[in-house]
């Protein structure tokens, strides 16, 4: 069985498979951020030492920065939620 098409040749009930419909500005932004995140991860693979109150922890730099970023995002979300 074949799918129904309109007179213009596109599929009925949806967009055609054009590149314009796939590459929206939001998707392009997410793609660029994902590529930058991968570059960031592969460039920061050396180990670093972090003192957590008493213990000294050795981990890759990107892991330490990611942990700090997640903690900052959680605090930001918490305080924005309390503000409302």
């Amino acid at each position: 069985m074949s799918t129904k098409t309109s007179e213009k040749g596109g599929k009925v009930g949806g967009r055609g498979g054009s590149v314009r419909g796939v590459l929206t500005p939001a998707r392009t932004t997410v793609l660029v951020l994902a590529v930058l995140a991968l570059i960031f991860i592969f460039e920061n693979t050396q180990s670093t030492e972090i003192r957590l109150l008493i213990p000294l922890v050795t981990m890759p730099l990107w892991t330490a920065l990611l942990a700090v970023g997640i903690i900052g995002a959680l605090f930001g979300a918490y305080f924005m939620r309390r503000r409302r």
Side-chain angles (χ1 to χ4, degrees):
M1 296 190 112
S2 63
T3 59
K4 294 181 181 180
T5 58
S6 67
E7 293 176 16
K8 293 181 181 179
K11 291 183 180 178
V12 173
R15 292 186 204 162
S18 70
V19 175
R20 178 176 250 181
V22 175
L23 290 177
T24 62
R27 287 181 182 166
T28 305
T29 303
V30 169
L31 182 65
V32 168
L33 289 175
V35 169
L36 289 174
L38 287 174
I39 292 170
F40 177 77
I41 288 170
F42 290 118
E43 289 291 325
N44 293 305
T45 56
Q46 66 271 19
S47 292
T48 187
E49 292 181 347
I50 300 171
R51 181 166 302 276
L52 297 172
L53 297 177
I54 297 172
L56 189 65
V57 179
T58 302
M59 66 177 67
L61 180 59
W62 70 269
T63 307
L65 293 173
L66 180 64
V68 170
I70 290 173
I71 291 169
L74 289 174
F75 274 103
Y78 174 74
F79 286 116
M80 288 301 292
R81 185 177 172 106
R82 278 189 71 198
R83 192 182 249 179
R84 283 192 255 159

